[in-house]
Amino acid sequence: SNITEMVSITDHLLELFGAAIRASFPNLTDPPVIITPSTNAKFGDYQCNSALPIAQVLKNQGEKVSPRDIGVKITTNLAASPLVEKTEVAGPGFVNVFLEKKYGVNAISSVLKNGVKPPKFKKSRVIVDFSSPNIAKEMHVGHLRSTIIGDSICRLLEFLGHDVVRLNHVGDWGTQFGMLIAHLEDRFPNFTKESPPIGDLQAFYKESKKRFDEDEVFKKRAYSCVVKLQSGDPDSTKAWQLICDVSRKEFQKIYDRLDIKITERGESFYQSRMVDIVKELTSKNMLEEDEGRKIMWGEQHGQGIPLTIIKSDGGFTYDTSDMAAIKNRLAEEKADWVVYVTDAGQATHFKSIFSCAKRAGILDPTKHRIDHVGFGVVLGEDGKKFKTRSGDTVKLVDLLDEGLKRSLDKLKEKERDKVLTPDELKKAQESVAYGCIKYADLSHNRNNEYIFSFDKMLEDRGNTAVYLLYAYTRIKSIARNCGKDFTANIKKIIQETPIPVEHEKEWKLVKVLLKFPDVITKISKDLCLHHLCEFVYDVSTTFTEFYDSCYCIEKNPQGEIIKVNNGRVLLCEATAAILGECFDILGLKPVSKI
Ligand code: ARG
């Protein structure tokens, strides 16, 4: 057999070694198949580390076989593979795998011929619930994290060819609307006839909250406004719409600046479905009285935290809306997979939702995949919760503006303003500003808390967007600088020129690029984008090593091109293609001049 496209090497070796191991030990059920990349080139490129655990299993069954013999047995039963040059049994039975250069040459060449193709996956319909700020309350850095991580997950899934639905589950139905509507009625009594000029919704929210906390009569009215709204009263609905519109416009500005596509489907969308789900759960006898509330336990009664489906005043809750939403997504929308991106603080909430949905027969783990993608809190450089100097939450618009300012400073510090046209400078400024905000977030393990620092993210060394954007632009410019002979004939050159792997640094770069499908497969499982950032950084630094020791273009002392090494330039192009695809998944927008 011959494999000419890039495949997931790890998956391929798991299959290959899995077959060899099962053939060697037909009496073992599910023997361990362990494949890891080698940490040291001496031990090849990949290793199969199954011998030791298999020896242990055999020992437990009373059979004494040395791990080394097991390693040897595995290699004798190993089928030939176009990916494997040779294997060696080392130390106490590790099987070292050396990759076949021919495979590398073909796979990288296929990238240039056919573009960067995703590893093959079963296509699913995926709903990604992300960003999801609350109307009238501010959209804060937590929502920014959800927005950035969620968008990147969508981009990954879209690259894999899934049918992706991006949903903004905005909080547009909470009890805060009672006081907002009551306050609107007082401040703008004419609101049904002419649109009220609410400029600053946050200030408006604060005013109404103050009255709510201090004025009993107002509070009563606020409560009755919620009831009126939820029962469909036209004037309350109008007021609600006006308030949502103001928020919506603010949110949209952020999405536009960050180039994020998302469809709003807030909690209000589920109002009638909440009524339905309550009926369904009641008829299935799954709701229990608890001090006036109606609660629901998950699959294990008494374990974890129950959901509150109906409050003692009869109202619905965040839990109710999420039960209605999960039913809608799996049953009506026919999603195979639902992803929720929120702060890690909501992990218990989603655990309970998933457990209750399973109990109610809405979620079927054999058919559906469900993920809560949690993330840690954002801290300031002082290690405390991210706040402004005066202790207020940081407004996202201000944060993006600050990013723009800092990125311009950075470009000026590098004297780019003297080289670029005003238009190019502006494009570079935006690319760096939004790129570094996104990349800083994505390059950290999302499960940890994350320190927001403009200084760190704008550094031009290390794993930062600035470093990578520059590296990418430089790599892209290599082919462009090869002269007409090269650029005009690139299609033909790609067909005729093999990718070079003779020089140690060429082969090293090719091997790093070959990891791309592995990385994509891994993040499609754990939805942790920092693996992709590590890969991108690995590619860039390995590229630099290659470029420093391998001439791509030779010039005479006058600076004229005397020789172009076509194969090496193609390797530069393949590197750029793969980096470009990664940037796309990460939401980074490289510019041609920076
Ligand atoms: N609006 C919520 C918040 O700001 C996030 C909603 C997440 N999605 C969901 N289906 N619960 O915390």
Side-chain angles (χ1 to χ4, degrees), residues 54-73:
I54 291 176
Q56 191 59 48
V57 175
L58 292 174
K59 195 176 154 198
N60 294 345
Q61 299 183 353
E63 213 181 316
K64 216 169 141 46
V65 190
S66 87
R68 179 126 196 144
D69 289 346
I70 295 175
V72 173
K73 195 162 186 184

Side-chain angles (χ1 to χ4, degrees), residues 11 121 337 369 371 520-528:
D11 284 354
F121 273 92
W337 183 5
R369 174 171 169 184
D371 285 279
I520 295 291
T521 307
K522 188 178 170 92
I523 53 176
S524 69
K525 289 184 187 139
D526 67 12
L527 304 176
C528 278

Side-chain angles (χ1 to χ4, degrees), residues 354-516:
F354 301 162
S355 182
C356 288
K358 276 186 221 156
R359 182 180 164 210
I362 296 167
L363 169 62
D364 176 353
T366 64
K367 278 201 292 202
H368 304 122
R369 174 171 169 184
I370 199 115
D371 285 279
H372 173 235
V373 171
F375 52 80
V377 285
V378 185
L379 302 177
E381 279 173 282
D382 54 4
K384 299 203 184 101
K385 222 173 162 185
F386 192 62
K387 289 265 158 77
T388 62
R389 278 213 186 104
S390 56
D392 291 332
T393 36
V394 180
K395 281 196 188 156
L396 288 193
V397 231
D398 296 342
L399 192 80
L400 299 187
D401 286 343
E402 166 99 7
L404 281 178
K405 191 188 143 294
R406 299 264 206 141
S407 114
L408 187 61
D409 291 348
K410 184 86 202 173
L411 290 163
K412 284 188 172 156
E413 183 190 305
K414 289 169 163 284
E415 305 205 316
R416 303 312 291 160
D417 51 329
K418 301 203 173 111
V419 195
L420 303 177
T421 67
D423 188 49
E424 285 166 350
L425 187 66
K426 187 166 175 279
K427 289 212 174 91
Q429 178 191 11
E430 287 176 359
S431 163
V432 168
Y434 303 143
C436 78
I437 292 174
K438 290 182 185 181
Y439 194 80
D441 199 323
L442 297 171
S443 58
H444 289 87
N445 184 333
R446 60 173 169 77
N447 295 301
N448 303 336
E449 45 194 35
Y450 150 61
I451 296 181
F452 192 98
S453 159
F454 274 122
D455 288 335
K456 283 248 154 57
M457 62 178 81
L458 283 162
E459 266 169 22
D460 29 26
R461 257 174 265 251
N463 194 1
T464 67
V466 182
Y467 167 76
L468 293 166
L469 288 166
Y470 271 94
Y472 177 77
T473 307
R474 221 175 303 127
I475 301 172
K476 280 293 270 187
S477 70
I478 296 168
R480 235 186 292 129
N481 291 335
C482 285
K484 271 242 151 53
D485 266 357
F486 186 90
T487 42
N489 297 311
I490 182 137
K491 281 237 165 74
K492 198 161 156 263
I493 295 173
I494 289 172
Q495 294 303 328
E496 291 169 353
T497 322
I499 298 297
V501 286
E502 300 329 312
H503 194 288
E504 175 209 347
K505 299 293 182 188
E506 292 168 342
W507 180 221
K508 186 173 176 191
L509 176 58
V510 166
K511 281 194 288 187
V512 172
L513 295 175
L514 292 178
K515 287 185 181 166
F516 177 72

